[in-house]
Amino acid sequence: MTARRVEPELDLLLAHKEEVAAGVVVMSLRHRDGDDVPAWEPGAHVDLVLRPDLVRQYSLCGDPADRSELRLAVLHEPNGRGGSGHVHDRLRAGDEVRVRGPRNHFALVEAKRYLFVAGGIGITPILPMVAAADALGADWRLLYGGRTRASMAFLDHLTREYGERVDVRPQDETGLLDLDPLLAEPDPDTAVYCCGPESLLAAVEQRCAHWPSGALHVERFAPKPESGDVGPFEVELARSGRTLLVPPDRPILDVVEDAGVGVLWSCREGTCGTCETVVLDGVPDHRDSLLTEAEREAGDTMMICVSRARGTRLVLDL
């Protein structure tokens, strides 16, 4: 039996918490003794271990050059799964918060031009990207939508710092974001970054379907709707010398853990990347919200919390 691996965790002080928009708070997390926080780059997120049974992922929205703190914004979702409610209602300045990460599956690639599209709290990972692109002198534009101006975090900062490069479109004033003028014609020199609700992501993905491969980069806060075969299959664990049957109603991760093989995990939804596992043989049925199309086609890693097999057998490096 393999002992369960434990991902390193860090206890940080909630130094400051304030509401920056309707239903959105920003938290500043620091070391009690003033040490540097972990390094990160635009697009990164951390896990907040709010309780042993309540782990949630939130994007970092501060300045990567400022190693004194980690800043993140959290939208209160009354009908959510409890993470945002815990942050809004229970955490207070002076509390300790356990953090895992940072991790980055939404990194800013080098490009001649950038188009950023943010919906609501999706502005969080986009904010440091905009700052990085501007510091590089790149040609960039941000289309930022939300329900109302009052609900749109960092709005004053963005319009003050960047002026006309930021196109603000509150839904109650202008309706849904008009994506066609920006995305109708593919531009091989433009990298498109989008974060927000599933309806926005799906609309952007649809319009970028004819763009060059790799031009579009998205990050989801919830699992992408997926469909496919849900039949049973076998997984061979190459390092553990075990072969396990994965039934139709259970994920690989659960079956592997039940067999006593330790695997790192966090979200169990295919959105955080913690359980990414090397595939040695077989074809994965990817159902995560992280891997690019090129990475899916390569098929050499998979998120075992949600993905399955296209066939009857997989061999994993576990």
Side-chain angles (χ1 to χ4, degrees), residues 79-240:
N79 298 320
R81 296 172 300 134
S84 68
H86 187 103
V87 168
H88 277 253
D89 300 335
R90 300 190 62 179
L91 290 184
R92 299 289 184 269
D95 289 348
E96 277 197 344
V97 181
R98 181 155 292 189
V99 176
R100 294 177 187 158
R103 282 183 226 101
N104 199 341
H105 297 278
F106 194 46
L108 189 67
V109 300
E110 184 177 345
K112 289 185 178 179
R113 285 181 292 277
Y114 297 95
L115 172 61
F116 302 107
V117 182
I121 197 61
I123 192 62
T124 309
I126 299 295
L127 190 67
M129 291 185 175
V130 164
D134 196 66
L136 291 170
D139 182 6
W140 65 270
R141 180 178 180 183
L142 167 63
L143 179 61
Y144 182 17
R147 297 187 309 277
T148 65
R149 287 181 184 270
S151 71
M152 298 170 70
F154 311 116
L155 189 57
D156 290 344
H157 166 78
L158 286 164
T159 54
R160 181 179 65 251
E161 291 294 320
Y162 305 117
E164 294 182 355
R165 287 194 173 193
V166 180
D167 188 0
V168 178
R169 297 288 174 173
Q171 187 174 344
D172 65 339
E173 298 177 20
T174 62
L176 296 176
L177 293 180
D178 187 5
L179 300 171
D180 291 330
L182 298 174
L183 300 174
E185 295 298 326
D187 183 350
D189 295 325
T190 297
V192 181
Y193 280 81
C194 181
C195 187
E198 181 59 35
S199 57
L200 174 62
L201 298 176
V204 171
E205 287 176 329
Q206 180 185 25
R207 287 162 176 79
C208 287
H210 60 301
W211 280 55
S213 177
L216 175 62
H217 308 262
V218 302
E219 181 164 70
R220 284 178 160 85
F221 297 133
K224 180 179 181 180
E226 292 282 353
S227 61
D229 181 27
V230 293
F233 57 94
E234 289 185 341
V235 289
E236 178 184 340
L237 311 184
R239 285 191 281 122
S240 302

Side-chain angles (χ1 to χ4, degrees), residues 197-308:
E198 181 59 35
S199 57
L200 174 62
L201 298 176
V204 171
E205 287 176 329
Q206 180 185 25
R207 287 162 176 79
C208 287
H210 60 301
W211 280 55
S213 177
L216 175 62
H217 308 262
V218 302
E219 181 164 70
R220 284 178 160 85
F221 297 133
K224 180 179 181 180
E226 292 282 353
S227 61
D229 181 27
V230 293
F233 57 94
E234 289 185 341
V235 289
E236 178 184 340
L237 311 184
R239 285 191 281 122
S240 302
R242 305 284 300 277
T243 298
L244 308 172
L245 178 67
V246 180
D249 60 343
R250 302 195 69 203
I252 299 173
L253 176 60
D254 284 1
V255 174
V256 168
E257 285 200 314
D258 284 353
V261 177
V263 180
L264 295 178
W265 59 266
S266 180
C267 73
R268 304 186 82 96
E269 294 184 335
T271 60
C272 75
T274 308
C275 70
E276 186 170 7
T277 300
V278 172
V279 178
L280 301 176
D281 194 22
V283 181
D285 178 7
H286 295 291
R287 303 185 184 192
D288 65 277
S289 303
L290 287 167
L291 295 177
T292 65
E293 286 305 314
E295 290 168 334
R296 289 183 174 216
E297 290 176 9
D300 50 11
T301 68
M302 66 186 297
M303 308 303 166
I304 63 172
C305 65
V306 292
S307 297
R308 299 184 67 80

Side-chain angles (χ1 to χ4, degrees), residues 45-57:
H45 71 267
V46 294
D47 298 344
L48 295 189
V49 185
L50 302 170
R51 295 193 309 260
D53 63 339
L54 187 62
V55 182
R56 296 293 182 264
Q57 294 75 44

